[in-house]
Amino acid sequence: LSPNPARGFVTISSGGTPLKEVKITTLTGRIIYKREFTTDNHVVNLEDFAKGMFLVHLVDNNHKYKIFKLLVK
C-alpha cells in the first residue's frame, strides 16, 4: 500500500501476483469497499472515506489472504 498514511488515494500493488479481490473494512468489520479484478495494481479513491484506521484485505489468484492496516488522513 502506498502511500500509507494516505490522503485522496492509495495504490495497492501485489508485486506481480494478480489480485482476485480487494476489500476495505472498518476496524469493526463493516465493508466499505470491495472490488474484484485481475491485475496486480489497483488505485482506490479515498475521497469519500472518513479519517481513521481501516483494514485492507487482499486475496490473490492462489487464494492467499493478506490483511494490511491503512491510515486515512
Side-chain angles (χ1 to χ4, degrees), residues 6-72:
R7 182 179 293 145
F9 72 94
V10 66
T11 300
I12 300 169
S13 177
S14 66
T17 303
L19 294 173
K20 182 177 179 181
E21 180 181 86
V22 171
K23 181 170 58 174
I24 301 177
T25 66
T26 63
L27 295 180
T28 60
R30 184 171 57 96
I31 298 171
I32 57 172
Y33 182 89
K34 184 176 179 180
R35 296 289 185 276
E36 292 185 11
F37 56 99
T38 58
T39 63
D40 62 345
N41 288 305
H42 188 67
V43 177
V44 179
N45 183 344
L46 302 174
E47 294 293 325
D48 294 332
F49 283 47
K51 294 178 183 178
M53 183 71 67
F54 298 90
L55 297 177
V56 179
H57 306 256
L58 304 178
V59 180
D60 69 17
N61 285 339
N62 296 323
H63 303 286
K64 291 184 181 176
Y65 193 86
K66 294 182 182 178
I67 300 175
F68 298 93
K69 291 181 182 175
L70 170 64
L71 179 62
V72 176

